[in-house]
Amino acid sequence: MHELILTIVKPLVDFPEDVSVHEVEEDHHISYHLSVNKADIGKIIGKKGRVAKAIRTVVYAAAGSKQHKKIYLEIVE
């Protein structure tokens, strides 16, 4: 899942070297914390959050078939 998030996000940003994903696994869910350069936050969120919603939709769809835990993708500044 980590690689999928990086594959989706890196082409969207101006500073792909600053993109990082940290995974936090707990009993009932897995959280992925996406961190990008401050200049790229707007590109990842998009107008009215549309890009962020699209990224989450793809990640949740890919993870839903493999994991039996709830998946969260958080964008961290």
Side-chain angles (χ1 to χ4, degrees):
M1 197 55 53
H2 182 271
E3 290 298 320
L4 174 65
I5 296 169
L6 290 176
T7 302
I8 293 170
V9 172
K10 281 190 175 186
L12 299 175
V13 298
D14 290 332
F15 302 98
E17 64 276 358
D18 293 343
V19 176
S20 65
V21 178
H22 302 284
E23 180 179 340
V24 179
E25 187 168 350
E26 296 183 14
D27 291 336
H28 300 289
H29 69 275
I30 301 172
S31 296
Y32 293 96
H33 300 275
L34 173 63
S35 177
V36 297
N37 190 302
K38 287 191 179 229
D40 292 326
I41 291 284
K43 292 180 180 181
I44 294 301
I45 295 173
K47 289 185 181 178
K48 297 184 181 180
R50 289 183 182 153
V51 175
K53 184 177 179 183
I55 294 169
R56 286 185 177 114
T57 300
V58 171
V59 170
Y60 297 163
S65 62
K66 296 178 185 176
Q67 304 283 339
H68 296 292
K69 296 182 178 184
K70 184 83 173 161
I71 304 294
Y72 296 105
L73 176 64
E74 299 176 20
I75 299 170
V76 184
E77 289 188 40

